[in-house]
Amino acid sequence: MDAVEQLTPEFGQRVQELRNLLQRASYEYYVLDAPTMADAVYDQLYRELQTLERRFPELITSDSPTQRVGEHPVSQFGSVQHKVPLYSLENAFGNDELVAWEQRWRRVAPAIAQPSYVCELKIDGNALALTYENGVLVRGATRGDGTTGEDITQNVRAIRSVPLRLSLEHPPAIVEVRGEAFLPLKSFEQINRDREQAGDALFANPRNATAGTLRQLDSKIVAQRNLDFFAYTLHLPEAPLVPPLQTQWEALDYLQQLGFRVNPERALCPTIDAVQAYCDRWSIERSHLGYLTDGVVVKLNSFKLQTQLGFTQKFPRWAIALKYPAEEAPTLLEHISVNVGRTGAITPVAELRPVQLAGTTVSRATLHNRDRITELDCRIGDTVIVRKAGEIIPEVVRVLPELRPKNAPPYHMPTHCPECGEPVVKPDGEAVTRCINSACPAIVRGALTHWASRDALDINGVGEKLVLQLVDHGFIHSVADLYHLTVEQLLTLERMGTKSAEKTIRAIQDSKAQPWSKVLYGLGIRHVGSVNAQTLAQAFPSVNELVDATPEAIAAVHGFGSEIAQSVHQWFQNHGNRGVIDRLRQAGVQLEGERPLAVETKAAIVGKIWVVTGTLPTLKRDEVKAMIQTAGGKVTDSVSKKTDYVVVGEEAGSKLTKAQRLGIPLLSEADFLRLLASSD
């Protein structure tokens, strides 16, 4: 039997020494771009560390340079609830909108004389949230929807410019760093060359390649692709620094001290004019960068002023993203097709000769509607100018008639639906042409896909590909038919095995337990989004009450108007829709919500405007909102001078700050329940 090798203090000291040397070398190479250690020396020290860790596995720690890449792929990514939401930014398109933003925030904080601004290039990548405990990386998560992301820690560890251990002798107990993962252009081009040689599909642009890389189940692939990372903000949820950071500029410097790359092109600007000059400069010079940027993020430098300004429902008031004008490109219009959406809207689409546009390959672009085609006078064979609306949706903006082929006939929208053959209509007051046949396969497909989506019934496994097969095989004619599907029917579809079929049927049956508000959203009524559906479900706790409701009763719901009310009323008066409701009821789908035990008006609450914020000890915010509405109060999402009370829980954030500044009464959950119980 081999003798067990004795671990001595000398071995432990050498391991720590090697880690410090390698970490410093990585920082100089990947962050400072100023290497001092030769590659051969780095490789020799790395192999020595590997050897010692193999001999003494008890010395291996998660922050060791040898542990960047996981040995085994993960099977899936878990969900992560962000303690501090990752807010998106309001966009500005041009200097006029930048000035308008400054005027808006000054109306909220008029006493501020001359603030400074921090400008940072807006990197075209994917936002990440990194959590460090006692200086060691413990979690890396995607932005997701801003509240919930995916845990991709193993992949984040494979990004060389992300430190596994912070470069501080006494780091904060917990710090969360936000930043952008991205692919340098050289890495992106090399990846596509490799994929082309392997016969794989090419990535359309660096952002898509970054997103695809971060979602790889094998971190070894991530390590090979050379992702990079710029940090741009941090949060200290527990003990703040002493002395505290007071500005965004100080925070960026501190991030560098921690060992992160911070964009070197950032600037501290004393005036909005200086901000404009910075933005104008980089609109030209960005073409020389080694990565893609589509604008500039402008932030008020003072953290105190940021706190004072707070947030709107969607955006921080103290920051804005100035987006550069959409890139335009000429190409050939080869064909015009039409798409039929789930509401029957018929949208003409330009089929184009592929062209590079703002970092992506574009082969299709929207033509919006019949009026837009007439205005542009688009004809097949035309040379057209294409751009990306808001850097997202390609659209045709103009035609070059001087390059038009001879005798090219004008294009006419179809008079009949290309999916079902029924006549199409153009309702009065609308620009959109519609198919109104509820049995149209395109409408049925769209309705089913919407019904199964995450914000609706959230049926795992029922996506667009399966829906397409179900409709084409004639198994499904409405959402109610889903609940009568059988395993035997699914087994007749392509690439559907017994286990998958059983799992899909189980997911469909489980969706019957989804609450009435999600069912209401899933019905796909025009103008009824997920928020409106929740409000309607509270005001009308059963489908029968909504069927019997007049347009006036629906319009009386807080936040609704006559257009939404008419849309809801007409939907429930339709004979076919009522038939779907009856079949959903027979299948056991939830068509009623929870009702309060007693409906009564409380004098201290009736007519008052309330805001509920933060995490409450025992009640959910929706429960408190329902109690307020039942008692005759009104609930809004934002704090204003008109707000009467704010119910406050843990981590209340900017709404609490604004309420304090405006002097609005604050109630805890216990205070609210006492007021509710004692008021007559």
Side-chain angles (χ1 to χ4, degrees):
M1 182 180 295
D2 294 335
V4 177
E5 190 166 7
Q6 185 67 37
L7 173 61
T8 65
E10 289 76 18
F11 285 126
Q13 291 169 7
R14 180 56 178 166
V15 164
Q16 190 57 52
E17 181 181 88
L18 289 169
R19 287 178 185 159
N20 291 339
L21 288 169
L22 292 170
Q23 182 176 339
R24 179 64 190 176
S26 292
Y27 175 72
E28 291 170 343
Y29 186 93
Y30 293 104
V31 178
L32 301 182
D33 197 21
T36 60
M37 182 182 290
D39 290 348
V41 175
Y42 184 95
D43 292 341
Q44 180 181 343
L45 296 177
Y46 188 88
R47 285 195 297 271
E48 182 184 351
L49 178 59
Q50 278 185 315
T51 300
L52 287 172
E53 289 181 342
R54 287 194 191 104
R55 287 168 62 185
F56 306 108
E58 61 268 40
L59 292 177
I60 298 175
T61 59
S62 63
D63 60 321
S64 173
T66 65
Q67 303 303 302
R68 274 200 178 274
V69 181
E71 289 296 322
H72 305 288
V74 297
S75 58
Q76 62 181 5
F77 299 120
S79 295
V80 171
Q81 195 80 14
H82 297 301
K83 292 183 178 179
V84 179
L86 278 76
Y87 285 91
S88 55
L89 296 178
E90 183 181 4
N91 289 330
F93 297 90
N95 288 336
D96 290 345
E97 294 186 20
L98 190 64
V99 171
W101 166 70
E102 185 192 41
Q103 293 171 346
R104 286 198 300 276
W105 74 252
R106 282 190 179 279
R107 286 196 289 270
V108 179
I112 304 301
Q114 186 55 61
S116 59
Y117 301 87
V118 174
C119 292
E120 303 166 62
L121 296 181
K122 187 176 182 297
I123 308 302
D124 201 11
N126 294 83
L128 298 180
L130 314 180
T131 303
Y132 290 79
E133 294 181 1
N134 298 314
V136 177
L137 177 67
V138 296
R139 190 176 75 190
T142 63
R143 180 187 184 277
D145 62 4
T147 301
T148 304
E150 287 185 310
D151 187 338
I152 57 167
T153 305
Q154 183 163 304
N155 288 346
V156 168
R157 295 169 63 83
I159 303 174
R160 297 284 180 177
S161 51
V162 171
L164 300 181
R165 174 180 285 276
L166 301 179
S167 301
L168 282 182
E169 189 173 342
H170 301 291
I174 296 179
V175 59
E176 186 172 292
V177 175
R178 305 283 174 81
E180 198 85 1
F182 64 97
L183 262 176
L185 291 175
K186 285 185 179 179
S187 299
F188 171 70
E189 291 162 1
Q190 183 61 53
I191 290 169
N192 266 351
R193 281 196 295 270
D194 294 342
R195 292 177 70 84
E196 186 174 25
Q197 291 176 1
D200 295 332
L202 303 186
F203 285 119
N205 56 57
R207 183 196 302 167
N208 287 355
T210 300
T213 300
L214 290 172
R215 299 202 78 257
Q216 289 288 328
L217 298 177
D218 188 350
S219 62
K220 293 177 183 176
I221 297 176
V222 183
Q224 293 168 359
R225 291 187 178 172
N226 298 320
L227 288 178
D228 209 337
F229 181 80
F230 280 137
Y232 52 67
T233 192
L234 76 164
H235 297 282
L236 297 156
E238 295 189 354
L241 298 176
V242 180
L245 298 173
Q246 296 182 338
T247 65
Q248 170 67 8
W249 195 256
E250 290 177 0
L252 293 174
D253 286 343
Y254 185 66
L255 284 166
Q256 281 191 309
Q257 294 176 38
L258 294 177
F260 289 94
R261 283 195 76 191
V262 176
N263 194 289
E265 312 302 345
R266 65 192 184 278
L268 183 60
C269 298
T271 65
I272 200 70
D273 290 338
V275 170
Q276 291 175 344
Y278 176 94
C279 295
D280 291 344
R281 170 193 164 202
W282 282 106
S283 69
I284 299 171
E285 295 188 12
R286 63 184 174 134
S287 61
H288 303 303
L289 293 169
Y291 46 85
L292 289 183
T293 175
D294 58 357
V296 173
V297 175
V298 183
K299 301 175 185 175
L300 283 160
N301 190 31
S302 166
F303 284 161
K304 182 178 179 181
L305 182 53
Q306 289 183 13
T307 301
Q308 181 181 348
L309 291 173
F311 297 78
T312 66
Q313 291 186 28
K314 295 183 178 180
F315 312 115
R317 289 192 178 89
W318 42 266
I320 197 165
L322 180 74
K323 302 294 288 290
Y324 289 127
E327 183 181 327
E328 296 185 346
T331 189
L332 191 69
L333 175 59
E334 296 182 330
H335 183 64
I336 297 176
S337 60
V338 290
N339 284 342
V340 184
R342 69 177 178 87
T343 62
I346 295 180
T347 304
V349 177
E351 306 289 346
L352 308 168
R353 179 173 293 173
V355 62
Q356 283 292 312
L357 184 64
T360 65
T361 301
V362 172
S363 58
R364 306 178 87 231
T366 181
L367 289 166
H368 297 291
N369 51 52
R370 176 188 296 173
D371 293 344
R372 182 59 173 159
I373 286 185
T374 301
E375 178 186 350
L376 290 169
D377 188 21
C378 285
R379 305 186 187 191
I380 294 173
D382 275 343
T383 298
V384 297
I385 302 299
V386 186
R387 75 176 176 197
K388 281 194 173 181
E391 294 281 333
I392 299 173
I393 304 171
E395 65 176 350
V396 174
V397 292
R398 62 184 182 278
V399 173
L400 302 180
E402 63 272 20
L403 301 179
R404 173 173 293 159
K406 290 183 179 180
N407 302 319
Y411 176 80
H412 298 288
M413 286 283 287
T415 58
H416 290 71
C417 175
E419 291 276 353
C420 67
E422 291 293 313
V424 298
V425 300
K426 188 173 181 293
D428 292 339
E430 291 191 25
V432 178
T433 303
R434 294 186 185 278
C435 172
I436 57 173
N437 173 21
S438 60
C440 174
I443 295 176
V444 174
R445 289 196 301 266
L448 283 166
T449 303
H450 177 71
W451 178 267
S453 65
R454 180 178 296 181
D455 289 340
L457 278 291
D458 193 16
I459 306 176
N460 189 33
V462 181
E464 291 184 7
K465 291 182 179 179
L466 178 60
V467 165
L468 180 62
Q469 291 190 73
L470 292 173
V471 175
D472 286 350
H473 281 70
F475 293 157
I476 298 286
H477 301 283
S478 77
V479 295
D481 291 333
L482 269 177
Y483 299 94
H484 299 280
L485 277 176
T486 65
V487 170
E488 289 72 25
Q489 286 176 311
L490 293 183
L491 288 175
T492 65
L493 305 180
E494 292 181 11
R495 299 184 179 180
M496 181 66 73
T498 302
K499 287 187 177 180
S500 295
E502 291 174 346
K503 185 177 180 181
T504 300
I505 294 297
R506 193 159 51 246
I508 292 171
Q509 296 304 313
D510 289 346
S511 73
K512 295 178 183 179
Q514 291 285 12
W516 161 227
S517 60
K518 288 204 163 197
V519 174
L520 185 52
Y521 172 64
L523 293 174
I525 303 169
R526 289 188 67 200
H527 307 306
V528 178
S530 57
V531 175
N532 279 346
Q534 290 179 2
T535 304
L536 267 182
Q538 291 170 359
F540 301 93
S542 76
V543 69
N544 290 340
E545 292 177 57
L546 205 45
V547 167
D548 295 337
T550 63
E552 293 74 21
I554 299 170
V557 176
H558 182 64
F560 279 52
S562 59
E563 185 178 10
I564 302 176
Q566 284 293 341
S567 177
V568 174
H569 178 72
Q570 289 172 4
W571 195 95
F572 281 102
Q573 298 313 302
N574 180 276
H575 179 74
N577 293 337
R578 287 199 182 188
V580 171
I581 292 295
D582 288 341
R583 294 188 64 216
L584 289 173
R585 181 185 286 111
Q586 293 167 10
V589 174
Q590 285 279 3
L591 297 175
E592 291 191 9
E594 293 185 2
R595 295 174 178 275
L597 294 177
V599 178
E600 55 185 13
T601 297
K602 301 289 185 178
I605 297 178
V606 65
K608 300 293 193 296
I609 297 176
W610 294 72
V611 171
V612 184
T613 183
T615 303
L616 302 172
T618 64
L619 296 173
K620 294 180 180 178
R621 286 201 297 269
D622 287 344
E623 292 175 330
V624 174
K625 291 177 182 179
M627 292 177 183
I628 293 168
Q629 290 170 334
T630 299
K634 295 182 179 179
V635 181
T636 63
D637 289 328
S638 58
V639 176
S640 69
K641 292 180 180 179
K642 296 181 180 180
T643 305
D644 294 297
Y645 294 102
V646 178
V647 181
V648 179
E650 294 292 330
E651 300 179 2
S654 60
K655 293 180 183 179
L656 170 60
T657 303
K658 185 171 183 180
Q660 291 171 328
R661 180 164 55 83
L662 295 175
I664 296 169
L666 306 175
L667 302 180
S668 66
E669 178 187 296
D671 295 333
F672 167 72
L673 292 175
R674 280 194 293 270
L675 180 65
L676 190 68
S678 62
S679 179
D680 294 316

